[in-house]
Amino acid sequence: MTDEMMDEEGVIKKFMFVNRKAPYGTIYALEGLEVVLISAAFEQDVSLAFVDDGVYELKKTQDTKALGQKNFSPTYRALEGYDIEKLYVERESMEMRGLTEDDLLVDVQVVSSAEMADLMAEQDVVISF
Amino acid sequence: MPMVEVAGKSFEVDEEGYLTNLADWNQDIAGYLAQEEKVEMTDSHWEVVNFLREYYEEYQIAPAVRVLTKAISKKLGADKGNNKYLYELFPYGPAKQACKIAGLPKPTGCI
Amino acid sequence: MLHIVNKSPFDRNSLESCFRMATQGSAVLLIEDAVYGATKGSSVEAKVQGAMAGLKVYALGADLQARGVADRVLDGVTVVDYGGFVDLVAEHGNLQSWL
Amino acid sequence: MKIGILVSEGPYTHQASDTAYNFVKAAIEKGHEIYRVFFYHDGVNNATRLTEPPRDDRNIVNRWSELAKQHNLDLVVCIAAAQRRGIMDENEAKRQGKNADNLAEGFRISGLGQLVEAGIQCDRLVTFGD
């Protein structure tokens, strides 16, 4: 949290953050989420894609106590308050991992690979973690 | 790192006076941190500090100011969920001062 | 759209995911370890050949040469240098790196 | 064309920093403007001046510093990622009560907003990582 806000008046671009890494094993999911939170201050058209191991970021009942790492999964539930409401999960990635929508800790839109491809293609900026 | 003793309990703060170990926090320590910031704690201050702690507890982050005002507005009313009100309570900014008093992690200055 | 892949297809699923989520007519540039995917006679050859029906595939020459595989590039794959990489970025409206 | 660069892996372990460097050089040669190079994740390790590779190897850090000097590049290191990994400029070291700093010449430390801003300002944002 900072006291300063920065706006780029007038410019609204479509930003997509593509999450492809599982949490805890590497830092990408956590530091990726930090970028997403900061991006909210710029009032852009932000969407999040969860594909491949990225869908594991949204798995319910994460408990990191024995790991000695911070459990940052509750932060995904804060995204709504940051007006980041476009969360897309690729169905194929989810099913490949034996997960269903009920396993996820936030409301998402489950889309096919083809739909995800179209969503990605229509972005101005795609940043991948 | 400097050690401070408040009400018989000693705890560590960093160079800028932020609580080092978030689990140490209690009301007495909050009172001390507020004093260091020259903030006189009233019920209105406590309301914001407690709100921040609840927010952190639930989401594991300190909210951006914009998000904080919106969330406070929703919970405590629009007369409190605005920058003017929060800056009156915490003249050097709710992010810096209220978070510090609430014992939340030091903002990394990310923007 | 330009998709950039930098992982060996024998190690990670980046290339596979890229193929799954690239729209018809997109360009795919293989760099770093991903250039192994552009070589003849491998177990992914058929998959890459199949993808080339709908996608334009490029590979970075410097990475092919460094790895000793510049002489076995799949037919249909266009080899580019760093300048060509820059041109591809400029020609396509947006891009995604499959890290 | 205005191009922004994101480097998200450390030097030497991964090729990402090399590819990014070669790309930036080629883009400048072609007359494009490199608006900013942003270093994130382990990419912040591109900015430590304590790097000392063997003499017969490239010095990735110095290479960035020199390119920045030649072409007035804006090399930005994410402060949060840098703090985690022990990359500090003089001010930050003072603020954090550390007795050393290690930011190489030509780099500056700033916030993540600089990455988002590069995304907004640039025609293209190219990511190099692992």
Side-chain angles (χ1 to χ4, degrees):
Chain A
M1 164 162 151
T2 50
D3 291 312
E4 288 158 76
M5 288 286 160
M6 203 153 115
D7 285 323
E8 297 297 320
E9 291 277 330
V11 188
I12 295 185
K13 283 192 171 183
K14 288 173 84 79
F15 271 74
M16 176 178 265
F17 295 99
V18 181
N19 299 279
R20 294 186 54 240
K21 306 280 168 74
Y24 314 119
T26 58
I27 200 170
Y28 303 107
L30 170 62
E31 286 191 331
L33 185 56
E34 287 179 352
V35 180
V36 171
L37 291 169
I38 293 293
S39 76
F42 290 81
E43 298 183 347
Q44 302 293 300
D45 181 0
V46 173
S47 56
L48 269 56
F50 295 88
V51 302
D52 296 324
D53 280 355
V55 299
Y56 285 131
E57 294 177 26
L58 302 180
K59 175 70 180 67
K60 277 180 187 164
T61 66
Q62 295 176 34
D63 180 351
T64 59
K65 269 188 219 84
L67 228 54
Q69 281 195 39
K70 175 171 159 169
N71 177 1
F72 58 93
S73 66
T75 306
Y76 293 98
R77 288 192 283 105
L79 291 173
E80 198 185 347
Y82 279 73
D83 297 321
I84 295 171
E85 287 163 335
K86 295 179 187 167
L87 275 63
Y88 304 105
V89 171
E90 190 215 9
R91 180 175 292 111
E92 284 78 349
S93 291
M94 192 171 73
E95 287 175 353
M96 260 183 246
R97 287 160 182 78
L99 298 174
T100 68
E101 238 179 302
D102 289 340
D103 292 308
L104 308 182
L105 50 81
V106 279
D107 288 334
V108 298
Q109 269 175 266
V110 178
V111 299
S112 68
S113 308
E115 288 167 319
M116 190 65 97
D118 289 336
L119 284 166
M120 203 179 279
E122 71 188 29
Q123 303 298 318
D124 296 307
V125 184
V126 184
I127 299 181
S128 188
F129 299 106
Chain B
M1 294 277 173
M3 295 296 292
V4 180
E5 201 174 296
V6 175
K9 199 185 167 211
S10 96
F11 60 95
E12 195 183 65
V13 294
D14 70 12
E15 311 296 322
E16 292 179 285
Y18 283 84
L19 191 61
T20 309
N21 186 354
L22 310 185
D24 283 346
W25 189 91
N26 62 36
Q27 294 227 335
D28 294 329
I29 290 173
Y32 163 82
L33 295 167
Q35 213 178 330
E36 291 292 296
E37 287 291 315
K38 304 198 169 43
V39 170
E40 194 154 330
M41 294 296 283
T42 65
D43 287 350
S44 306
H45 291 87
W46 280 115
E47 200 172 44
V48 174
V49 165
N50 288 330
F51 183 89
L52 274 173
R53 287 192 64 83
E54 283 164 28
Y55 187 96
Y56 185 82
E57 184 62 32
E58 185 165 357
Y59 299 118
Q60 297 298 305
I61 46 165
V65 179
R66 185 177 56 89
V67 177
L68 174 69
T69 50
K70 207 172 72 177
I72 286 188
S73 182
K74 209 164 150 187
K75 193 170 172 200
L76 306 172
D79 54 327
K80 293 178 178 174
N82 60 73
N83 275 333
K84 187 172 171 288
Y85 177 80
L86 292 173
Y87 273 86
E88 271 167 16
L89 293 176
F90 303 99
Y92 290 98
K96 186 175 168 287
Q97 291 190 303
C99 279
K100 194 175 194 176
I101 297 165
L104 266 47
K106 172 157 63 176
T108 46
C110 254
I111 271 205
Chain C
M1 185 165 193
L2 172 66
H3 296 268
I4 302 169
V5 182
N6 73 339
K7 290 293 161 336
S8 163
F10 310 106
D11 181 32
R12 308 243 207 129
N13 65 352
S14 306
L15 185 62
E16 208 174 308
S17 295
C18 166
F19 283 162
R20 203 167 67 235
M21 279 169 266
T23 51
Q24 279 280 100
S26 297
V28 176
L29 170 64
L30 308 176
I31 65 170
E32 300 171 7
D33 288 349
V35 297
Y36 291 123
T39 56
K40 283 177 189 160
S42 86
S43 61
V44 298
E45 179 177 343
K47 193 173 274 176
V48 176
Q49 292 282 17
M52 281 198 288
L55 304 169
K56 188 88 189 76
V57 177
Y58 300 84
L60 195 57
D63 283 317
L64 288 163
Q65 285 155 20
R67 290 162 177 78
V69 292
D71 59 349
R72 54 170 74 184
V73 177
L74 280 174
D75 295 336
V77 172
T78 309
V79 177
V80 296
D81 60 9
Y82 286 104
F85 184 173
V86 173
D87 291 341
L88 282 172
V89 166
E91 284 160 19
H92 294 86
N94 59 356
L95 52 133
Q96 144 77 347
S97 293
W98 295 87
L99 304 174
Chain D
M1 191 169 264
K2 252 193 226 176
I3 301 175
I5 305 289
L6 169 60
V7 178
S8 53
E9 274 310 328
Y12 302 108
T13 305
H14 297 277
Q15 201 191 334
S17 305
D18 294 287
T19 309
Y21 176 81
N22 288 323
F23 179 91
V24 166
K25 257 186 21 182
I28 293 169
E29 274 163 27
K30 287 205 167 258
H32 296 293
E33 178 198 343
I34 298 296
Y35 179 78
R36 177 171 298 146
V37 184
F38 190 85
F39 296 89
Y40 196 43
H41 303 307
D42 278 1
V44 300
N45 290 317
N46 275 275
T48 167
R49 62 180 169 79
L50 300 181
T51 298
E52 201 55 58
R55 289 281 171 261
D56 59 353
D57 197 358
R58 75 253 189 248
N59 188 319
I60 295 180
V61 178
N62 289 352
R63 217 165 55 173
W64 283 121
S65 296
E66 280 155 26
L67 200 64
K69 205 170 173 182
Q70 274 170 31
H71 301 284
N72 202 19
L73 288 183
D74 189 21
L75 307 180
V76 180
V77 178
C78 168
I79 186 166
Q83 281 177 357
R84 279 196 179 103
R85 295 162 178 87
I87 308 291
M88 295 210 167
D89 64 7
E90 210 182 325
N91 282 339
E92 190 57 21
K94 213 171 281 172
R95 196 169 84 94
Q96 303 284 350
K98 307 284 184 192
N99 64 1
D101 57 79
N102 60 348
L103 192 74
E105 211 182 310
F107 291 86
R108 66 184 177 96
I109 290 191
S110 188
L112 267 178
Q114 298 274 303
L115 169 61
V116 181
E117 197 241 1
I120 295 169
Q121 297 296 334
C122 292
D123 301 303
R124 303 286 184 273
L125 181 68
V126 193
T127 305
F128 298 90
D130 179 52

